[in-house]
Amino acid sequence: MTDAVTVPFVLFAILCALAALALLEHLVLPALRFVASSSAEKLIDEVSARLKIGIRPFQRTKRRVLIDRLLYDPRVQEAARTFTASNKVPPEIAQAMVERYARETVPAFNAYLYFRIGYWVGRRVAQALYRVRLGYVDTEGLAAIDPDATVVFVMNHRSNMDYVLAGYLAADQAALSYAVGEWARIWPLSHLIRSMGAYFVRRNSKDDLYRKVLERYIAMATEAGVPQAVFPEGGLSRDGRMREPRLGVLDYMMRGFKTTGERDVVFIPLGINYDRVLEDRTLLLSINPEAAKSSKAKAASGTLRFMLRNLRLLVKSEWHRFGYACVNFGSPVSMRAYCAERGLDFSSMTREDRQVQMAGLGKHLMASVGKVVPVLPVPLMATVFVRNSGKGLSALELKAEVEAILDALDAAGAHVYVPRRDLDYALDVGLRMLRLRHLVDEYEGLYSARLEELPMLRYYANSIAHLLPS
């Protein structure tokens, strides 16, 4: 019994690997899950105590449970039966498709990742790239929101940085669940985004079965009071102007809304603007009919060159942050009050009537967002140069032009962010940014726009054009 047994090294290595795997699966991983679960529960209790909108039980529910709930939802099952009959396929295939769509849609919210890692990374990235400012806030309106209401932040979509900026600045309000486009369904980014509580949306899907699964998930989350963030424009602004709203997600939220229901739905307008949008040239190229179509490899190459150029400037101590990034929080729009004022009941409307009323609601919400889009130094100065293209202006003339624009903005009730409350400094900041990017030239004390860069200047001027008389 004590004799030595000789085995080949390969077999010994396999036995050791199997033993290590068993130890990992039956001892180490359960212990880590127990510690992580305990830490997560403590973190959720701690965070919920300071958040204005606490973490809902729905967000704490295991993902597998939510998938099953969605999978066997009566309306989803009815849609699956319709799909089976119309496409003459076995029920098992329709059920497998529903499960795939449910797995794709349902997030896996991780409080530790959201508040400990995501918030820290978001803050660091935002502050490294921009001078981040929280501008106007309707404090009284936000304080008056029912704590049990479903809060939905609606915002304009300027940059992919919007996700980071809004999540960072709203971190004391709620843990936001974003509707994210297909661009983020790339491994491992998809797992990270899903862990942050976001759900994926196929923007232009014509699949009725998929749309029913998505609709029911959004309805379930809304009924459960999950705070959400929505970009009604559906995508990034290509020319700088606010786009017409796409009402799919908002419609899903409102289909089952009843003014006498358990929860109110409150939309909070959120306006975002930047002195520099990282994707500006790419966005302008996408609407230029004369520009060659860019491949993914070319786009990746351009991104890499941009990063290397900024890294070189950083090493030479010549790098500057990309100006100001500002967020304004507007007055909440209570759907109970909105529907009561207009005698509406979305849950009992026909499809045609609901589409008409949703179009009205979409315009109302986007107008509310437009009112709180911040006016920053670069868009302000860009407006001056667009209005005076082909003309040289002295510093004194620039200031006079800006003051005339500010008077018009003030009359329109716009929210202008003036750094350090010093207008001269704000003008210097905006002008310096435009000159650093070679959008504006100086010759013998006169400043003028580069004609070939007028599209870029219009892009930034367009971000506040809706606030000015046409």
Side-chain angles (χ1 to χ4, degrees), residues 78-397:
E78 178 61 31
R81 287 191 289 269
T82 301
F83 179 86
T84 298
S86 60
N87 291 276
K88 296 181 174 55
V89 297
E92 293 78 11
I93 292 180
Q95 196 71 357
M97 292 177 65
V98 168
E99 181 163 7
R100 186 172 79 250
Y101 293 152
R103 287 180 177 278
E104 175 186 309
T105 303
V106 176
F109 178 70
N110 184 309
Y112 188 89
L113 188 62
Y114 189 100
F115 288 103
R116 286 291 184 266
I117 299 176
Y119 174 77
W120 184 86
V121 171
R123 183 184 63 186
R124 293 286 182 176
V125 170
Q127 291 182 345
L129 296 177
Y130 296 99
R131 294 181 174 90
V132 179
R133 298 294 183 267
L134 178 60
Y136 170 79
V137 178
D138 182 2
T139 307
E140 292 183 5
L142 295 180
I145 296 174
D146 183 348
D148 292 327
T150 298
V151 171
V152 182
F153 292 85
V154 287
M155 60 192 83
N156 61 316
H157 205 0
R158 296 280 290 157
S159 166
N160 286 313
M161 272 296 297
D162 296 346
Y163 297 96
V164 176
L165 196 64
Y168 157 45
L169 291 178
D172 63 335
Q173 302 283 333
L176 300 181
S177 177
Y178 282 101
V180 180
E182 292 183 272
W183 62 269
R185 292 176 58 199
I186 303 171
W187 186 89
L189 183 62
S190 59
H191 293 283
L192 175 63
I193 289 177
R194 186 176 281 117
S195 297
M196 297 290 286
Y199 58 93
F200 297 105
V201 175
R202 299 184 185 185
R203 298 287 183 190
N204 299 308
S205 175
K206 304 298 182 183
D207 186 337
D208 290 337
L209 186 57
Y210 165 76
R211 289 191 293 181
K212 179 56 69 174
V213 172
L214 176 64
E215 173 197 334
R216 291 307 301 153
Y217 171 75
I218 292 174
M220 287 165 50
T222 303
E223 291 166 6
V226 176
Q228 299 175 59
V230 177
F231 298 98
E233 295 166 287
L236 296 175
S237 171
R238 304 288 171 174
D239 61 0
R241 292 182 181 274
M242 293 181 63
R243 304 169 68 180
E244 289 295 317
R246 300 175 69 177
L247 305 172
V249 172
L250 295 176
D251 185 36
Y252 295 157
M253 291 178 178
M254 296 308 301
R255 284 186 188 183
F257 175 73
K258 297 180 180 178
T259 56
T260 57
E262 179 184 352
R263 297 182 192 274
D264 190 8
V265 174
V266 179
F267 292 104
I268 299 178
L270 195 152
I272 301 177
N273 210 352
Y274 303 86
D275 273 335
R276 180 173 182 180
V277 173
L278 300 179
E279 309 94 330
D280 52 12
R281 294 197 181 276
T282 302
L283 293 170
L284 284 174
L285 282 174
S286 70
I287 58 173
N288 183 354
E290 299 178 1
K293 295 295 181 182
S294 178
S295 65
K296 290 184 178 180
K298 189 174 180 180
S301 174
T303 301
L304 182 60
R305 286 197 305 272
F306 174 79
M307 293 174 64
L308 291 175
R309 183 167 63 251
N310 282 276
L311 182 61
R312 185 177 70 252
L313 292 173
L314 184 64
V315 170
K316 295 168 63 178
S317 300
E318 295 177 0
W319 187 83
H320 299 277
R321 283 184 286 183
F322 302 133
Y324 288 91
C326 186
V327 175
N328 289 338
F329 289 81
S331 300
V333 179
S334 163
M335 290 313 300
R336 280 180 180 165
Y338 181 91
C339 292
E341 289 172 5
R342 295 162 177 78
L344 303 178
D345 182 2
F346 284 97
S347 64
S348 63
M349 289 180 183
T350 63
R351 180 180 179 182
E352 292 74 18
D353 288 343
R354 194 181 67 251
Q355 286 178 337
V356 171
Q357 295 301 332
M358 282 303 304
L361 175 61
K363 288 183 179 179
H364 179 77
L365 291 176
M366 288 308 293
S368 299
V369 172
K371 288 179 182 177
V372 293
V373 170
V375 178
L376 296 179
V378 165
L380 194 57
M381 294 300 295
T383 301
V384 172
F385 285 108
V386 168
R387 289 184 174 185
N388 295 274
S389 58
K391 179 181 177 183
L393 298 173
S394 67
L396 191 59
E397 289 172 322

